[in-house]
Amino acid sequence: MSPLLKNYDDVTQELARVCQECGRTPGSVQLLAVSKTFPAQDVEELFRQRGHLCFGENRVQELKEKASLLPKEVQWHLIGHLQANKVRHALECAQWIHGVDTASLFWRIQEIASQMDASPRLLLEVNVSGEESKFGFTPQEALALAREASSRTLQAPLVGLMTMAPLQADKTVLERVFGGLRNLRGQMEQLRGVPMPELSMGMSGDYPEAIRQGATIVRIGTAIFGHR
């Protein structure tokens, strides 16, 4: 067994263990394998050997290159910062966009998606921790966009929220950040009157706590592919 497959198996087993521990089914948490900077061959190995379908990329160009080499069944998530001038290219390949970090970008995606007849699932990136180095809406800005979106028909559905916790944060901080995103999602659902089922939160170093706080998507790179 290759190191890649062993790492993948270890992560899926730990994910299942944490889900069982907190009374959730493993199927309620989607494992997003973050393949950024790793070769398309690694993605294909996980697809062929483990049937894994969901992969995350940070850069539009790298996503397009890998998508052109891999089976159409692979589902691509763009998780990095998206520049407005690259929206059209992103929508050619990405079924999910996690890093919608401004209102102008959200509405730009709606405009281009309508022109292309595309319907990518969108998640608003929320800077729950308040770190200046991070992109994303403040919670108040996210609520304001939800209020505006509630009166509009969306070509690209708003299905949830995404956040990142500070690196090496302790359990108290993780609970505050991940729990804060979950609570914000509840407020937005009430405001919009429609479900927003997805919470994309948790990475290699903190995904167990994210699962305990309600994550539906965990973004795992290093623990599967190794250090970059």
Side-chain angles (χ1 to χ4, degrees), residues 87 91 97 100 103-124 145 149 152-159 192:
V87 167
L91 297 191
I97 300 178
V100 182
S104 61
L105 178 61
F106 179 83
W107 295 117
R108 177 66 174 165
I109 292 170
Q110 298 299 332
E111 177 187 0
I112 300 299
S114 294
Q115 294 172 9
M116 298 176 65
D117 194 25
S119 297
R121 295 176 176 87
L122 306 184
L123 296 96
L124 302 185
L145 179 60
R152 304 269 292 270
T153 299
L154 301 179
Q155 174 71 24
L158 175 57
V159 299
R192 297 182 68 214

Side-chain angles (χ1 to χ4, degrees), residues 48-221:
R48 301 291 183 195
Q49 299 299 320
R50 293 296 183 268
H52 193 80
L53 297 176
C54 302
F55 294 88
E57 291 289 334
N58 264 36
R59 299 180 182 278
V60 173
Q61 187 58 40
E62 186 175 357
L63 186 158
K64 290 183 67 175
E65 289 171 0
K66 288 178 181 173
S68 71
L69 298 171
L70 291 157
K72 299 300 183 185
E73 294 90 339
V74 171
Q75 186 178 92
W76 294 102
H77 295 233
L78 183 64
I79 62 174
H81 176 63
L82 175 59
Q83 296 175 323
N85 63 355
K86 295 184 178 178
V87 167
R88 190 175 299 275
H89 294 295
L91 297 191
E92 291 173 356
C93 302
Q95 290 86 31
W96 294 68
I97 300 178
H98 292 226
V100 182
D101 54 17
T102 65
S104 61
L105 178 61
F106 179 83
W107 295 117
R108 177 66 174 165
I109 292 170
Q110 298 299 332
E111 177 187 0
I112 300 299
S114 294
Q115 294 172 9
M116 298 176 65
D117 194 25
S119 297
R121 295 176 176 87
L122 306 184
L123 296 96
L124 302 185
E125 180 174 357
V126 183
N127 186 356
V128 180
S129 67
E131 292 175 275
E132 292 185 3
S133 61
K134 284 185 167 60
F135 292 106
F137 292 86
T138 66
Q140 294 74 22
E141 290 169 342
L143 285 168
L145 179 60
R147 186 176 295 107
E148 184 179 0
S150 67
S151 62
R152 304 269 292 270
T153 299
L154 301 179
Q155 174 71 24
L158 175 57
V159 299
L161 304 175
M162 181 266 258
T163 199
M164 291 182 285
L167 291 175
Q168 299 179 330
D170 62 25
K171 188 173 185 293
T172 300
V173 173
L174 295 178
E175 287 177 349
R176 177 175 61 81
V177 172
F178 296 147
L181 193 73
R182 183 192 66 242
N183 293 337
L184 179 63
R185 189 265 306 269
Q187 295 177 56
M188 292 177 70
E189 286 182 324
Q190 186 173 24
L191 182 64
R192 297 182 68 214
V194 295
M196 293 176 57
E198 307 297 344
L199 289 175
S200 172
M201 56 189 194
M203 299 188 292
S204 291
D206 55 23
Y207 73 90
E209 188 56 42
I211 291 172
R212 295 184 186 100
Q213 295 296 327
T216 63
I217 303 171
V218 292
R219 309 181 305 272
I220 310 300

